[in-house]
Amino acid sequence: AISIDRYLKGQDLTVGREAEGTQESRLTVNIEGVAKKERIAMPALAVEQRRGNFQEVELGLSKEEAKKEAERCLSCECKLCVKECEFLKQFCQSPIELAQRFKLGYFREKPDIPYSCNLCDLCQKVCPEELNTGNMCLELRQQLVAERLGPLPGHRFVKVNQDWSTSDNFALAQPDPESLECKRVFFPGCNLSGYSPSLVIKTYDYLRGRLPGTGILLGCCGAPTHALGEQSQYQAILNGLEAEMAKLDTSEMIVACPECYKTIKHHAPQLKLRFIGEVLLQIGLPEGIT
């Protein structure tokens, strides 16, 4: 169609069309056991009949020939992410289909759909092109918040939780109480501190015994707020954490929560993060623990 349009306008048929045609792709399709079907030759006008006119050169296939030719298609769609992800499996046939529906504003009619993704990055891990549907859902959540359509009513508890875990009743930042030094901080996160304070205390005491000069920082990384798309509130929480680290004059943080580790590593790359499991492997497990 582009060539016809340019031809009729007397324009160059080739300029600016370098990206057309075949493209490299990492998409692979298993064709083991698939019988090869030869292409059906397209009937065409004889060369002498094509001169000086605009008659169709290709004469077309019969109904039966067209059906046989169509049956050669292997439907080479990847869909690895849909096979692995319960969210995608429930709401679409492919992430492209979902993106096209969202582009038309469907996310405003059904805001629960972008809020249903776990943002786990599984789709990116299995995708040959490393596409991340979660990033799209997160951007849509941020847009819903900006338009005051999000978060959803059922997310009110998240705000209550965040207000508590960033309040003076919960938050704490101090150096090693014995040496008064702070070479690093232990950041257990809000969940572990909430459901097992005794484990946090035991872990912190053990770290101080093996790594003197370890301070402690209690608070929340802001992951729940970030996941809801409340970007300005999340940034305020993150800025608060960074400010406390600066007061303690350290940039090293031992993190006990995988979600905290992922969130802080992505949004505060200047901090030196170490996961608690990695640290315990280096300094040794407490006596009696296998």
Side-chain angles (χ1 to χ4, degrees):
I2 295 172
S3 297
I4 293 170
D5 182 57
R6 291 188 179 187
Y7 176 84
L8 294 174
K9 293 176 179 177
Q11 298 174 347
D12 192 312
L13 303 187
T14 61
V15 68
R17 302 177 72 180
E18 294 81 6
E20 295 184 21
T22 58
Q23 302 287 327
E24 288 293 327
S25 171
R26 287 184 284 169
L27 174 65
T28 57
V29 178
N30 184 8
I31 59 173
E32 185 178 350
V34 178
K36 184 177 180 179
K37 297 181 180 179
E38 296 297 334
R39 184 188 299 269
I40 295 176
M42 175 65 69
L45 278 179
V47 175
E48 58 273 10
Q49 294 177 291
R50 303 179 193 179
R51 295 175 181 152
N53 61 67
F54 280 98
Q55 293 183 54
E56 282 285 351
V57 173
E58 296 182 346
L59 301 178
L61 303 175
S62 66
K63 182 177 179 179
E64 189 60 33
E65 288 173 329
K67 184 179 178 182
K68 287 182 179 178
E69 184 66 9
E71 288 173 349
R72 296 177 63 245
C73 176
L74 297 177
S75 298
C76 299
E77 294 179 293
C78 176
K79 293 190 178 180
L80 285 174
C81 57
V82 179
K83 294 172 186 174
E84 297 291 337
C85 172
E86 293 300 323
F87 162 68
L88 291 173
K89 200 178 295 181
Q90 181 173 347
F91 291 112
C92 64
Q93 296 295 317
S94 73
I96 294 176
E97 175 207 332
L98 190 62
Q100 289 171 338
R101 286 159 63 196
F102 282 155
K103 191 175 181 181
L104 296 173
Y106 185 67
F107 67 97
R108 293 187 182 91
E109 299 173 35
K110 297 286 185 179
D112 56 308
I113 295 181
Y115 274 113
S116 295
C117 173
N118 277 341
L119 308 179
C120 66
D121 297 337
L122 176 63
C123 52
Q124 183 177 0
K125 288 181 174 65
V126 301
C127 175
E129 298 295 334
E130 298 183 357
L131 297 177
N132 192 319
T133 308
N135 289 343
M136 174 180 67
C137 289
L138 182 58
E139 287 184 19
L140 292 172
R141 295 179 196 185
Q142 292 170 356
Q143 190 168 336
L144 285 167
V145 169
E147 296 177 11
R148 300 191 175 185
L149 297 174
L152 305 182
H155 293 138
R156 289 194 188 101
F157 82 94
V158 178
K159 177 171 171 49
V160 174
N161 177 281
Q162 291 284 262
D163 287 347
W164 161 248
S165 58
T166 55
S167 70
D168 291 339
N169 295 318
F170 186 95
L172 174 70
Q174 69 174 32
D176 186 327
E178 291 185 5
S179 67
L180 299 181
E181 290 184 309
C182 193
K183 300 176 181 177
R184 69 198 69 80
V185 297
F186 174 47
F187 185 72
C190 54
N191 282 330
L192 181 59
S193 303
Y195 70 73
S196 188
S198 61
L199 182 58
V200 170
I201 293 170
K202 288 179 182 178
T203 306
Y204 180 47
D205 287 342
Y206 183 73
L207 288 173
R208 285 195 302 113
R210 292 299 184 98
L211 298 170
T214 299
I216 190 165
L217 182 60
L218 295 180
C220 180
C221 69
T225 299
H226 176 257
L228 291 185
E230 297 182 312
Q231 193 59 24
S232 59
Q233 294 92 321
Y234 166 66
Q235 194 59 51
I237 294 173
L238 183 63
N239 291 344
L241 279 182
E242 293 178 316
E244 295 295 349
M245 291 286 287
K247 288 179 187 176
L248 294 170
D249 195 25
T250 183
S251 62
E252 183 177 338
M253 182 184 284
I254 298 174
V255 185
C257 168
E259 190 67 25
C260 291
Y261 185 89
K262 173 186 173 184
T263 303
I264 298 172
K265 186 176 181 65
H266 184 73
H267 296 280
Q270 73 278 12
L271 297 179
K272 180 183 177 183
L273 295 190
R274 300 175 68 195
F275 190 64
I276 184 67
E278 170 196 355
V279 175
L280 290 176
L281 285 175
Q282 292 176 348
I283 66 176
L285 294 174
E287 187 177 349
I289 294 181
T290 58

